[in-house]
């Protein structure tokens, strides 16, 4: 799934979730939320990669927020 500034792939993921920014974004925070809006984790990001292997199967939302306060949220589905 993509927003105006972030592309997330694959949309259905088992272990490795990748993202890319469509514009320059620096100094951001990343959080993963479940379907009811509960924050699950602040994931560790390495080279635009997030390991989601420890999440249980379900629908999640990955939110990126710039220091300025602007945020983008994209949905992904964790399987297996």
């Amino acid at each position: 799934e993509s927003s105006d500034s972030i592309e997330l792939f694959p949309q259905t993921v088992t272990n490795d979730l990748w993202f890319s920014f469509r514009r320059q974004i620096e100094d951001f925070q990343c959080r993963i939320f479940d379907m009811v809006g509960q924050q699950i984790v602040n994931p560790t990001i390495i080279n635009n990669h997030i390991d989601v292997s420890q999440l249980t199967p379900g629908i999640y939302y990955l939110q990126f927020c710039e220091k300025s306060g602007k945020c983008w949220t994209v949905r992904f589905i964790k399987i297996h």
Side-chain angles (χ1 to χ4, degrees), residues 6 8 10 47 56 60:
I6 299 168
L8 193 65
N47 297 325
T56 58
Y60 295 90

Side-chain angles (χ1 to χ4, degrees), residues 11-79:
Q11 293 176 18
T12 303
V13 62
T14 302
N15 296 317
D16 301 310
L17 186 62
W18 298 87
F19 65 90
S20 64
F21 294 119
R22 296 180 189 264
R23 66 174 185 84
Q24 185 66 27
I25 296 177
E26 296 180 11
D27 198 16
F28 64 90
Q29 291 185 337
C30 181
R31 298 180 287 191
I32 295 178
F33 295 89
D34 65 12
M35 284 291 295
V36 296
Q38 180 179 0
Q39 183 174 332
I40 302 299
V41 68
N42 286 11
T44 300
I45 298 171
I46 300 172
N47 297 325
N48 290 11
H49 166 260
I50 299 170
D51 178 0
V52 296
S53 61
Q54 299 301 314
L55 295 177
T56 58
I59 297 173
Y60 295 90
Y61 294 92
L62 181 62
Q63 183 180 68
F64 295 92
C65 291
E66 288 183 298
K67 190 175 183 178
S68 69
K70 182 167 181 163
C71 296
W72 299 269
T73 304
V74 288
R75 182 181 70 121
F76 70 95
I77 300 169
K78 167 70 166 78
I79 58 173

